Amino acid sequence: MINFQSDYVEGAHPKILEMMAKTNMEQTPGYGHDPYCDRAKAKILAVCRAPAADVHFLVGGTQTNLTVIASILRPHQGVLAADEGHIACHETGAIEATGHKVLTLPSRDGTITGAQVAAYMEDHNQSEIREHMVQPGMVYLSFPTESGTLYSKQQLTDLSETCHRFGIPLYLDGARMGYGLTSPDNDLSLADIAQCCDVFYIGGTKCGALLGEAVVITNDALKKDFKYHIKQRGGMLAKGRLIGIQFDVLFENDLYFNICRTAVGHALAIRQAFEQEGISFYGHSMTNQQFPILTDDQLAFFGTKYISEFWGKADENHSIVRFCTSWATKKESVDELISDIHAMGQIG
């Protein structure tokens, strides 16, 4: 079986494993106080053009989201997010388990707007019973979204200005950031994200690392005591260099962007093949995730050879399926899938 189920089914980029092996017997200080973490942080800050920002390494995306969000919110506050945002539908109530509510906003493509945030904030602030409701205390975005869509620079700027106007932080989940930044539809840079967001993270787990995410905090007010939150949430690795080494390698000579760009190219080739066969799509993803809408017969045809992910029913006779490429997807696997897409013809 050829696996297109997700972008974390493989291990790590060979250059990471090579550096892990090379440095294996070195003795370094623990908890991220080592030269590899320092070097990785410097590289990240340089790309972000945010020399005064703080960088912290955590283990995984869910842990990162709950640690960041719980560190920001007061006990009576919640976080605004799209109704299909990762924290709202794919983290087993991790945010709610910290004592904070996810306040969802309707979305057609996984994105929310500055106007939506402003309307929610104004409604809350003008309510005569606002003290009886959860107060919105921050905004959560993901880039790309769960369905692979992107925020434009203008959209992110509008959200940033809205959040600053109401005095709440803007947080961006970048689990698949590399695939978003290297999409042909993208007009954002890491520097733009650092300029617009109070805190964000750069995903490693899904973008070439064995594990690990890099949190970047640009808002000085959010920096204090963040390490306490990391430790309390189990995110402070004794062997912290294991994450530092990975980001040090990924941000050397644009490796992070190059491998993600290749994955996006593979995904778009798959998309084009489906389109040539008249297959429609759920949403408009120009990233490494593609969501063709298949008949039951077509789904069975691919199921004999390929592992994909069922996303939901489009109607009684059609299913939304996710085909996901990664930094490690082989061109020959993509070529084989494309050949079978064309062989599928008009099945079903």
Side-chain angles (χ1 to χ4, degrees):
M1 298 291 283
I2 300 175
N3 199 322
F4 287 96
Q5 186 176 25
S6 190
D7 38 22
Y8 47 81
V9 296
E10 296 94 359
H13 192 278
K15 289 187 177 181
I16 288 176
L17 297 180
E18 180 183 339
M19 183 59 75
M20 289 279 199
K22 181 179 178 180
T23 61
N24 187 52
M25 296 306 294
E26 289 185 16
Q27 295 179 328
T28 60
Y31 304 106
H33 301 291
D34 62 82
Y36 300 105
C37 286
D38 290 342
R39 198 160 63 192
K41 290 175 183 179
K43 290 177 180 178
I44 289 170
L45 292 178
V47 177
C48 291
R49 298 180 188 173
D54 284 356
V55 179
H56 302 276
F57 298 117
L58 283 86
V59 176
T62 299
Q63 181 189 63
T64 299
N65 284 334
L66 69 89
T67 301
V68 170
I69 291 169
S71 76
I72 292 173
L73 296 178
R74 299 289 304 280
H76 57 284
Q77 293 180 326
V79 52
L80 286 167
D83 52 12
E84 71 165 48
H86 201 72
I87 60 171
C89 63
H90 212 267
E91 291 192 340
T92 323
I95 304 306
E96 288 85 351
T98 68
H100 301 287
K101 188 174 183 178
V102 179
L103 306 167
T104 57
L105 297 172
S107 173
R108 289 184 177 180
D109 62 359
T111 65
I112 56 176
T113 66
Q116 282 180 291
V117 172
Y120 195 102
M121 295 298 298
E122 288 166 356
D123 285 348
H124 180 88
N125 292 343
Q126 293 169 9
S127 173
E128 295 181 358
I129 58 167
R130 59 184 176 274
E131 293 86 358
H132 298 269
M133 300 182 290
V134 175
Q135 182 188 70
M138 64 183 295
V139 171
Y140 165 95
L141 314 174
S142 54
F143 177 87
T145 68
E146 288 297 284
S147 53
T149 50
L150 302 172
Y151 284 92
S152 68
K153 185 174 181 178
Q154 186 59 59
Q155 287 174 308
L156 193 62
T157 299
D158 289 345
L159 279 158
S160 178
E161 291 174 350
T162 300
C163 288
H164 291 162
R165 176 156 56 95
F166 287 97
I168 59 173
L170 178 61
Y171 169 50
L172 186 144
D173 174 336
R176 293 187 168 95
M177 184 180 287
Y179 303 121
L181 291 174
T182 55
S183 167
D185 274 12
N186 174 58
D187 68 348
L188 281 168
S189 67
L190 256 178
D192 294 326
I193 291 172
Q195 179 69 32
C196 289
C197 297
D198 296 278
V199 55
F200 61 94
Y201 83 84
I202 302 167
T205 301
K206 296 173 181 174
C207 299
L210 274 174
L211 53 86
E213 327 297 339
V215 175
V216 182
I217 305 176
T218 60
N219 185 331
D220 290 342
L222 305 181
K223 296 176 182 178
K224 187 177 184 294
D225 294 339
F226 188 68
K227 285 187 177 180
Y228 289 86
H229 292 276
I230 297 174
K231 179 66 175 181
Q232 190 178 66
R233 302 292 178 183
M236 190 175 289
L237 285 182
K239 298 179 182 180
R241 76 179 192 190
L242 296 180
I243 301 179
I245 286 170
Q246 295 181 80
F247 277 93
D248 184 30
V249 171
L250 287 173
F251 278 82
E252 180 72 20
N253 297 324
D254 288 334
L255 178 64
Y256 183 77
F257 301 102
N258 291 335
I259 61 177
C260 289
R261 185 177 295 109
T262 299
V264 172
H266 288 331
L268 296 185
I270 293 169
R271 181 185 183 89
Q272 183 180 46
F274 275 119
E275 288 176 335
Q276 289 171 346
E277 296 301 328
I279 300 297
S280 59
F281 285 80
Y282 171 75
H284 182 71
S285 172
M286 296 297 284
T287 63
N288 69 314
Q289 302 180 90
Q290 296 300 318
F291 302 87
I293 299 174
L294 305 178
T295 66
D296 293 341
D297 287 342
Q298 290 168 343
L299 187 59
F301 174 83
F302 289 111
T304 62
K305 188 174 178 180
Y306 301 95
I307 301 173
S308 57
E309 183 163 320
F310 174 77
W311 206 253
K313 293 292 291 184
D315 57 41
E316 185 178 348
N317 300 311
H318 294 81
S319 297
I320 303 166
V321 182
R322 183 179 74 170
F323 284 83
C324 189
T325 59
S326 82
W327 60 273
T329 299
K330 295 181 176 64
K331 185 178 185 300
E332 52 265 34
S333 297
V334 174
D335 290 343
E336 194 164 346
L337 174 59
I338 289 173
S339 177
D340 284 337
I341 290 171
H342 292 312
M344 172 193 68
Q346 301 300 313
I347 292 176

